[in-house]
Amino acid sequence: MATELNRRKLLQRMAQLSLGASLLSAPAVAHALLKRNDSARANNYLLLGCTKQQDKYQLSAMFSNGELPYQLALPARGHHVALAKKDHGLAACVGRRPGHYIVLFEPRTGQLLGNITPPANMHFYGHACFSDDASKLYVTAGDSDTSQGAVLVYQQQAERWSLSQRWPIAGLGPHQLLMLPKQRLVVAVGGIHTQGREKLNLETMRPALVYLDSETGQALLTRELPDNQLSIRHLCYSTHSDTVWLACQGQNPQREVSSLVYSQHAMEPCMALDADADYWPLFNHYIGSIECVDGTLLASSPRGGKLAVWSETERELAQLMQVDDVCGLATHAKGWVASTGQGQLIQKAQPIQRLQTALQWDNHLSVLDIS
């Protein structure tokens, strides 16, 4: 429980940040729709995410004005859409853990390009990323009996994608992975052994951040957190500072966490963001997505109903907003977009704008530049 002093500090901090919160809570803004008389392509980006509508799962593509150029039916709940660099016209939608499908498609048009299923007795963990030249697709996966982690490397051969390499990871339950400069692949290892969605080893779990050589799979660096029950799930990479940011989820609700976001740079240890700040209890032990752009760091908490913005350089909270069921985050040249499970798209503007859609947006959001 927070002390009375911490409560006072929290109230003071919320008052200082109330401008950002009020922008999103004002009824006039909450029900505003973006003007539809603008050309869709004038927005210069297309939002891609896994959605649910009338008890059916789809991949949905939407312009920021609400126009829906296409949807693709999914065999089960999806999690994340990985995009190759835009010149390659390639994207991959990965099924939610324990996932058993990847749908490959052309992100501008929705044209289906192929499907991937995991090897026998393995499942996907919901995330993938492409090599810079889009010739390889890296996917986090695990043994269905033990949750022993691996990165599966698929390569395109003729018109099919085939498994070419399997790199074991020293850890259980890998989740998001990113391609970095200098031939590096970074993997968030959650540390949790699961059967289906049931977690079996919360007392002994060992989360880690693992760097691999993207050509050979050789382990380059491993970093752990001081709290072994803080599962590392999601990542973003800041070109501004050559830093990887880690979004975590606490697995022990009885234990107060000092931070849910960490950074890791060069050979340094992982460093907590704003350690022991009074606002962390508001996130309810859960960060759902994290993004960084132009020296700004964003994180969402669907369980806490919070969308937070920090200055990456100063490592201080700049804005804290109440947004029910917010999770998906994506950044583009003009700012950022967030999505909610209640169908809203929230876009950085002056004032911040919300677009109500008929879709339940899932955990992650991706942006395709179509300029």
Side-chain angles (χ1 to χ4, degrees):
M1 297 292 293
T3 64
E4 201 61 39
L5 177 60
N6 280 339
R7 291 193 185 95
R8 287 198 297 271
K9 288 182 179 178
L10 180 57
L11 290 173
Q12 291 170 358
R13 181 67 67 92
M14 291 294 285
Q16 293 167 359
L17 300 169
S18 61
L19 175 61
S22 65
L23 285 173
L24 285 174
S25 58
V29 175
H31 299 288
L33 296 180
L34 299 180
K35 295 180 180 179
R36 296 184 62 87
N37 57 3
D38 293 334
S39 167
R41 290 188 179 272
N43 296 296
N44 295 326
Y45 60 90
L46 184 65
L47 303 172
L48 297 159
C50 299
T51 59
K52 184 180 180 183
Q53 187 177 19
Q54 298 177 346
D55 295 325
K56 295 181 180 179
Y57 295 111
Q58 318 97 356
L59 181 147
S60 297
M62 183 174 283
F63 292 112
S64 62
N65 67 351
E67 293 186 24
L68 192 68
Y70 68 85
Q71 289 181 297
L72 301 177
L74 297 176
R77 184 174 172 182
H79 192 66
H80 176 240
V81 176
L83 292 172
K85 291 186 175 180
K86 71 174 186 176
D87 294 340
H88 297 289
L90 185 60
C93 177
V94 190
R96 180 181 186 242
R97 173 185 65 85
H100 290 89
Y101 73 85
I102 295 175
V103 175
L104 294 147
F105 65 102
E106 209 292 342
R108 289 175 179 260
T109 66
Q111 177 187 357
L112 289 172
L113 300 175
N115 294 278
I116 296 173
T117 56
N121 203 40
M122 296 190 78
H123 61 265
F124 299 135
Y125 277 99
H127 287 269
C129 69
F130 288 95
S131 60
D132 287 341
D133 64 1
S135 66
K136 297 178 182 179
L137 180 69
Y138 303 90
V139 188
T140 49
D143 184 285
S144 297
D145 295 327
T146 66
S147 300
Q148 180 60 52
V151 171
L152 304 182
V153 185
Y154 291 87
Q155 282 191 291
Q156 190 172 20
Q157 298 175 346
E159 296 183 358
R160 296 177 59 86
W161 286 78
S162 301
L163 181 63
S164 63
Q165 297 178 79
R166 185 185 309 197
W167 299 335
I169 293 178
L172 307 182
H175 201 66
Q176 189 170 15
L177 74 173
L178 298 176
M179 178 62 64
L180 304 183
K182 301 178 182 178
Q183 202 173 296
R184 295 173 296 162
L185 195 68
V186 62
V187 186
V189 178
I192 302 176
H193 173 34
T194 56
Q195 289 291 327
R197 303 290 297 177
E198 184 182 2
K199 302 172 183 177
L200 302 177
N201 68 327
L202 296 185
E203 293 296 326
T204 59
M205 55 180 283
R206 290 190 64 183
L209 187 70
V210 177
Y211 290 84
L212 305 175
D213 184 293
S214 64
E215 290 297 319
T216 66
Q218 179 184 354
L220 302 175
L221 181 71
T222 299
R223 290 289 181 264
E224 296 185 352
L225 302 181
D227 183 350
N228 77 297
Q229 290 186 308
L230 201 55
S231 181
I232 306 171
R233 296 295 182 88
H234 296 107
L235 307 170
C236 68
Y237 173 69
S238 171
T239 56
H240 178 78
S241 61
D242 188 32
T243 297
V244 173
W245 290 92
L246 297 62
C248 302
Q249 298 172 8
Q251 301 301 314
N252 185 347
Q254 308 305 317
R255 177 188 296 176
E256 288 191 7
V257 296
S258 61
S259 178
L260 289 168
V261 177
Y262 285 73
S263 63
Q264 199 284 317
H265 172 71
M267 302 297 291
E268 298 172 1
C270 295
M271 298 183 63
L273 175 67
D274 215 354
D276 299 317
D278 45 20
Y279 55 78
W280 287 118
L282 297 175
F283 292 83
N284 197 14
H285 290 261
Y286 194 98
I287 299 293
S289 294
I290 190 166
E291 289 287 342
C292 39
V293 60
D294 295 333
T296 296
L297 181 71
L298 301 101
S300 62
S301 174
R303 293 185 183 177
K306 297 293 182 292
L307 178 59
V309 182
W310 290 266
S311 163
E312 184 183 353
T313 303
E314 298 176 0
R315 301 176 71 93
E316 292 183 356
L317 187 65
Q319 199 172 22
L320 184 61
M321 296 167 270
Q322 178 68 34
V323 188
D324 291 344
D325 203 15
V326 64
C327 196
L329 287 175
T331 59
H332 55 88
K334 296 181 180 180
W336 52 262
V337 185
S339 59
T340 80
Q342 299 177 7
Q344 291 184 340
L345 292 175
I346 302 151
Q347 306 184 61
K348 181 182 179 182
Q350 292 298 331
I352 288 175
Q353 294 177 301
R354 288 191 183 190
L355 170 65
Q356 183 64 50
T357 74
L359 306 172
Q360 294 175 259
W361 295 88
D362 218 292
N363 292 52
H364 299 290
L365 198 62
S366 300
V367 167
L368 176 68
D369 180 1
I370 56 171
S371 57

